[in-house]
Amino acid sequence: MTKPTEPTTTTTTTTTVRTTRTVRTTRAAAGCAPLAKKPLPAGRPREWYVTHNRRLKAMRLAIALLDSGIHPPATADNRRIRETADLIGVHPPSDATCRMVRALIRYGR
């Protein structure tokens, strides 16, 4: 006669991913993970890619500044924007990108 099988138990393990960027760590802790990156479409002029990446960087910086409590665009000078870029781990922005960050903060209201 065969023995009845005993119920099996499964254990799951959780892995923690550490990043060097403070913003990603706090967002992951808050339960909202960053979106998966997709490749950019091929066949566009180089200027399109430069502008697109500048807009993405400006949006990241504007979100980081707003999260840190910088709401009036006048308080977001180039020095503060570049310090925030260093804090979140992106290359220092150009003057044009800094202007774009202030515009995003201004018109996002």
Side-chain angles (χ1 to χ4, degrees), residues 26-72:
T26 55
R27 285 186 185 161
C32 92
L35 296 174
K37 291 186 177 182
K38 295 185 283 187
L40 293 175
R44 307 264 177 136
R46 177 172 167 68
E47 188 58 35
W48 183 88
Y49 296 105
V50 171
T51 305
H52 178 76
N53 289 331
R54 177 170 287 159
R55 286 182 189 142
L56 290 178
K57 183 186 234 179
M59 282 190 284
R60 282 189 208 104
L61 288 168
I63 290 168
L65 285 167
L66 289 171
D67 286 347
S68 68
I70 306 297
H71 295 289

